[in-house]
């Protein structure tokens, strides 16, 4: 059932919020031990919330846009009275004392928060294997990684443990697990969704966004969480469209110009390329005009992204000194987080800043300029989300091999543009996602394309 249809049925009292919630609770009971998507579930407060919504609907009172819809939240977003651990021992016992802006908005619109999802420690990863609380399984391909870092949020939606979930995307952490798990994941334009209450990985890249099974679900969540927040300095003050209202479901892509970047295919696995080429052919049959593009800076993207990530992450972690709360991060964190802290600390030293950090910032400007140029002549760029298939859980990878999962997703974060992944096929059962990227503030165009493909 489409999420928007379900939402209508709940509001019309044809399905109760309670029935909807109980269905998910059953699935969580049955499946969470196997998949480890949720780190914490609060059934009681969810039940209270559902009963309250049902009684208001019964009395003919107005309810919010997300009434009765069950939502999972990545463990790096503050929710009062849940454990906000970022999947690290550092914050193992940290209980959220307030709601992040996105959570306030979800609650105000009567979304039911069911629990906190698993992730890579501090969102620094692409596999959800580095969580202090154990890895998450990929329900579509047992024994393989679900992708990351928001693996738990992707799996929770993919395996019917909630209607919608939210995650954070710094270099692909929403789109990558969406692609590997066969669901839709959306990283909005930088500044569209407030980051207030999100534990930073790299603040100049981080964006919160939704996971859903269809475009209507993501549109609805974006309508709720998007929009200016005066308490957050990177939040954009602009005339945000209603994503749900502007969702155009047609059966044609006439008038759409879609950019195909040669290099995105050169770096990708042949089996993935075949699936993406097939869907692009279909899009052309549906009326889209294909425009061949070339992006010469692809090799610059990962080094630029990771250098900036290290420096910003190092600075963000200085508050985890074990004094006010938690443990001192360096004493308890995993290998990847420690690597980033050490690298960030080294690069941040004054004598090296000209050599690395300033160069990375220059490279970022250049990449942004080039990506803007590419997008100028087209409505969107389409291609693979992730260049390779997910590895078997526990395979030992060199850092560069892990980072190479991100080569196609970091571009949108470097440029601040919106990008989504939507499932378009599978390789022997392992899902493959199509990435759609557009100009800053053209988020609705991406949703329209996905709605049309549906
Ligand atoms: N895999 C990338 C990294 O480790 C992206 C992570 C993210 O988007 N949170 O930095």
């Amino acid at each position: 059932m489409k999420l928007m249809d379900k939402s209508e049925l709940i509001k019309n009292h044809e399905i109760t919020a309670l029935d909807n919630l109980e269905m998910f609770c059953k699935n969580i009971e049955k499946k969470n031990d196997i998949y480890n998507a949720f780190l914490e579930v609060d059934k009681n407060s969810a039940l209270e919330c559902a009963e309250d919504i049902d009684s208001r609907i019964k009395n003919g009172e107005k309810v919010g846009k997300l009434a009765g819809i069950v939502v999972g939240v990545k463990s790096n977003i503050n929710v009062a009275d849940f454990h906000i651990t970022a999947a690290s021992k550092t914050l193992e016992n940290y209980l959220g004392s307030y709601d992040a802006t996105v959570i306030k908005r979800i609650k105000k619109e009567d979304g039911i928060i069911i629990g906190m999802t698993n992730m890579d420690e501090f969102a620094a990863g692409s596999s959800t294997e580095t969580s202090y609380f154990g890895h998450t399984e990929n329900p579509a391909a047992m024994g393989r990684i679900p992708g990351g870092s928001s693996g738990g949020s992707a799996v929770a939606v993919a395996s019917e443990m909630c209607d919608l979930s939210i995650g954070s995307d710094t270099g692909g952490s929403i789109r990558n697990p969406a692609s590997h798990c066969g669901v839709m994941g959306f990283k909005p334009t930088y500044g569209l969704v407030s980051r207030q209450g999100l534990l930073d990985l790299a603040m100049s890249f981080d964006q919160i966004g939704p996971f859903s099974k269809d475009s209507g679900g993501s549109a609805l969540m974006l309508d709720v969480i998007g929009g200016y927040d005066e308490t957050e300095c990177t939040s954009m003050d602009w005339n945000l469209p209603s994503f749900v209202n502007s969702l155009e479901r047609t059966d044609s892509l006439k008038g759409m110009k879609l950019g195909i970047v040669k290099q995105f295919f050169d770096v990708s696995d042949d089996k993935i390329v075949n699936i993406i080429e097939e869907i692009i052919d279909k899009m052309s049959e549906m009326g889209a005009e294909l425009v061949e593009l070339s992006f010469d800076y692809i090799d610059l993207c990962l080094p630029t992204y990771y250098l900036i990530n290290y420096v910003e992450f190092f600075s963000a972690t200085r508050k985890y000194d074990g004094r006010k709360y938690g443990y001192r991060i360096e004493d308890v964190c995993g290998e990847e987080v420690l690597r980033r802290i050490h690298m960030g600390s080294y690069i941040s030293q004054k004598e090296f800043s000209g050599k690395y950090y300033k160069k990375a910032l220059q490279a970022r400007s250049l990449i942004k300029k080039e990506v803007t140029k590419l997008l100028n002549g087209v409505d969107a760029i389409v291609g693979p989300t992730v260049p390779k298939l997910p590895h078997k859980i526990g395979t030992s990878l060199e850092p560069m091999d892990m980072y190479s999962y991100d080569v196609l997703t970091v571009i949108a974060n470097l440029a601040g543009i919106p990008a989504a992944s939507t499932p378009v096929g599978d390789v022997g059962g392992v899902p493959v996602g199509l990435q759609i990227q557009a100009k800053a503030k053209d988020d609705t165009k991406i949703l329209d394309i996905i709605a049309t493909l549906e």
Side-chain angles (χ1 to χ4, degrees):
M1 191 188 327
K2 295 251 179 250
L3 188 103
M4 293 301 292
D5 295 339
K6 185 197 260 189
S7 162
E8 280 308 303
L9 289 177
I10 294 176
K11 283 178 192 147
N12 296 332
H13 219 47
E14 286 169 60
I15 305 178
T16 65
L18 196 60
D19 285 344
N20 189 42
L21 173 66
E22 277 179 338
M23 188 259 297
F24 288 123
C25 287
K26 268 195 201 123
N27 282 345
I28 291 174
E29 249 160 60
K30 214 164 59 194
K31 300 180 188 174
N32 200 46
D33 281 348
I34 307 167
Y35 298 148
N36 199 25
F38 279 102
L39 296 180
E40 184 177 15
V41 171
D42 185 351
K43 194 174 162 184
N44 288 339
S45 83
L47 281 174
E48 245 172 62
C49 190
E51 276 162 8
D52 171 59
I53 292 164
D54 282 333
S55 89
R56 277 188 286 147
I57 292 173
K58 218 165 146 191
N59 295 336
E61 287 169 45
K62 196 171 158 11
V63 287
K65 289 182 193 148
L66 281 175
I69 298 297
V70 177
V71 179
V73 179
K74 188 174 180 178
S75 291
N76 60 352
I77 299 172
N78 270 282
V79 187
D81 302 328
F82 276 98
H83 285 88
I84 314 305
T85 62
S88 179
K89 183 172 169 63
T90 314
L91 298 173
E92 184 180 18
N93 301 312
Y94 181 73
L95 207 55
S97 58
Y98 70 100
D99 288 332
T101 297
V102 289
I103 301 300
K104 277 191 197 130
R105 291 180 180 179
I106 290 171
K107 287 184 176 171
K108 186 165 164 252
E109 294 296 340
D110 291 319
I112 301 177
I113 295 187
I114 181 69
M116 307 304 297
T117 60
N118 203 6
M119 55 185 281
D120 279 298
E121 185 177 25
F122 283 104
S126 311
S127 71
T128 318
E129 290 169 299
T130 67
S131 165
Y132 174 64
F133 305 101
H135 71 267
T136 295
E137 282 283 343
N138 185 337
M142 285 298 283
R144 289 188 187 267
I145 57 157
S149 63
S150 317
S153 288
V155 171
V157 169
S159 63
E160 310 270 346
M161 295 199 226
C162 55
D163 285 301
L164 299 173
S165 63
I166 54 174
S168 62
D169 189 310
T170 308
S173 279
I174 292 176
R175 292 159 285 157
N176 167 306
S179 177
H180 288 327
C181 294
V183 295
M184 185 184 155
F186 198 105
K187 181 205 93 72
T189 296
Y190 185 76
L192 193 153
V193 177
S194 169
R195 296 168 28 258
Q196 190 270 347
L198 169 72
L199 274 51
D200 300 332
L201 171 57
M203 62 86 74
S204 76
F205 298 133
D206 298 336
Q207 263 296 282
I208 294 173
F211 288 90
S212 61
K213 286 214 159 154
D214 57 32
S215 55
S218 278
L220 185 61
M221 183 54 92
L222 285 168
D223 270 350
V224 171
I225 63 176
Y228 182 58
D229 174 8
E230 58 178 22
T231 69
E232 205 261 283
C233 63
T234 62
S235 156
M236 229 187 336
D237 193 1
W238 61 300
N239 213 349
L240 197 67
S242 156
F243 291 96
V244 168
N245 291 344
S246 63
L247 206 58
E248 262 179 61
R249 256 175 233 286
T250 59
D251 48 15
S252 157
L253 289 172
K254 263 208 187 77
M256 265 295 166
K257 275 193 188 170
L258 300 180
I260 316 291
V261 179
K262 180 182 168 294
Q263 288 80 358
F264 294 178
F265 293 80
D266 295 345
V267 298
S268 300
D269 187 305
D270 289 344
K271 293 186 180 125
I272 295 174
V273 168
N274 289 342
I275 291 173
I276 300 300
E277 281 179 345
E278 227 171 86
I279 187 75
I280 290 175
D281 283 346
K282 209 177 276 169
M283 292 167 96
S284 147
E285 280 162 28
M286 289 167 84
E289 181 191 333
L290 306 183
V291 182
E292 275 185 37
L293 300 171
S294 178
F295 179 56
D296 296 329
Y297 298 95
I298 191 152
D299 293 339
L300 202 57
C301 291
L302 283 178
T304 304
Y305 167 80
Y306 274 96
L307 267 169
I308 297 173
N309 184 302
Y310 292 159
V311 172
E312 292 185 9
F313 182 57
F314 168 66
S315 141
T317 55
R318 292 312 80 203
K319 59 181 171 287
Y320 307 121
D321 56 10
R323 271 180 243 170
K324 272 198 212 134
Y325 50 82
Y327 300 99
R328 180 173 169 264
I329 188 167
E330 289 89 342
D331 292 342
V332 295
C333 71
E335 196 187 338
E336 179 59 25
V337 165
L338 195 59
R339 174 179 302 114
R340 293 187 192 207
I341 291 174
H342 286 161
M343 294 294 285
S345 141
Y346 177 82
I347 299 163
S348 307
Q349 287 168 32
K350 225 173 164 188
E351 59 266 42
F352 299 128
S353 103
K355 197 163 158 202
Y356 300 116
Y357 189 53
K358 281 201 189 122
K359 281 226 175 92
L361 291 181
Q362 283 165 354
R364 180 182 189 170
S365 302
L366 176 69
I367 292 165
K368 194 169 177 178
K369 216 168 75 199
E370 287 302 311
V371 171
T372 310
K373 235 194 263 167
L374 288 184
L375 280 163
N376 261 340
V378 296
D379 292 288
I381 291 173
V382 291
T385 306
V386 187
K388 48 184 189 172
L389 294 169
H391 61 259
K392 296 224 169 86
I393 288 163
T395 311
S396 132
L397 293 190
E398 289 297 318
M400 283 312 290
D401 289 329
M402 188 63 88
Y403 296 172
S404 68
Y405 275 111
D406 308 325
V407 62
L408 300 173
T409 44
V410 295
I411 300 168
N413 305 79
L414 285 160
I417 58 173
S421 181
T422 192
V424 289
D426 66 277
V427 175
V430 182
V432 169
L434 172 78
Q435 180 171 229
I436 307 174
Q437 312 187 64
K439 297 179 192 76
K441 299 187 182 177
D442 262 356
D443 303 62
T444 52
K445 244 184 213 170
I446 296 178
L447 283 169
D448 279 349
I449 295 172
I450 297 175
T452 305
L453 285 177
E454 283 166 359

